Amino acid sequence: GECWHKVGSVYFELGDLPAAAAAFYTAGALHHAPLSWLSAAHILHKLKSPKAYPAYWAALKMDPGFHDAWHDLSFSLSSENRHALAEVAARKTVELQRTADNLFGLGNQIMSQKRYEEAASVYREGAALNPAKIELMHNLGYCAHLTGDLPGAVSAALVTARLYLDRPPGAPEDVGSSGSGPMYLAGLSHA
């Protein structure tokens, strides 16, 4: 099984994703290795294969506390607009590791279901852990704006602007936007 994982890694490096997925899948089945199942699931999802979700579940069945598998599963479900299921996986990531990044992911799933007040609460908790996470502050401002909390929206927008202006040299010009600067700054004028 371990050899199959190495073969999968070589195929992955060569860009042969179907062969890499097959090798990781085989490694997971033979070696009972959650990481091999996760590697297979990740690639299979990129290939839009229906075998992706059984591979995620195989990894999680072997190791229910496998944070990276829950995180990747949440992202995969979200990319298919399956936000209620993605929220379940995101909640598990927060249960396993209560970080600003995981709370940001959970807030995104809740916000995608238009539960803005709940999302804002999750974003506030994430901001308490990492007030310098610009994407989190941006989304907090957006949710505050949508729920009529204009002081909260303006406050979050100003923090977002400050974080954007204070970013280190060489940081991306666009932070969560397709224009210049954080997209919520455009919404500041509406608040």
Side-chain angles (χ1 to χ4, degrees), residues 90-169:
R91 285 188 184 282
K92 188 66 177 180
T93 67
V94 170
E95 177 185 313
L96 294 168
Q97 294 179 18
R98 196 167 209 82
T99 65
D101 286 340
N102 287 341
L103 287 162
F104 176 68
L106 174 58
N108 290 347
Q109 298 315 317
I110 295 168
M111 184 173 67
S112 295
Q113 297 172 74
K114 300 185 182 341
R115 296 180 357 237
Y116 303 117
E117 287 184 21
E118 185 180 352
S121 177
V122 170
Y123 290 137
R124 276 191 290 281
E125 186 178 345
L129 295 174
N130 183 0
K133 185 164 179 61
I134 193 167
E135 301 91 344
L136 192 148
M137 295 306 297
H138 167 274
N139 285 7
L140 173 57
Y142 182 70
C143 286
H145 178 75
L146 291 174
T147 59
D149 176 9
L150 298 185
V154 170
S155 175
L158 291 173
V159 170
T160 303
R162 176 53 43 208
L163 290 170
Y164 177 74
L165 293 172
D166 291 345
R167 71 195 186 289

Side-chain angles (χ1 to χ4, degrees), residues 8 11-24 40 43-44 46-47:
Y11 278 128
F12 183 80
E13 290 299 320
L14 293 173
D16 188 344
L17 296 184
F24 286 132
I43 294 169
L44 289 166
K46 284 182 178 258
L47 296 172

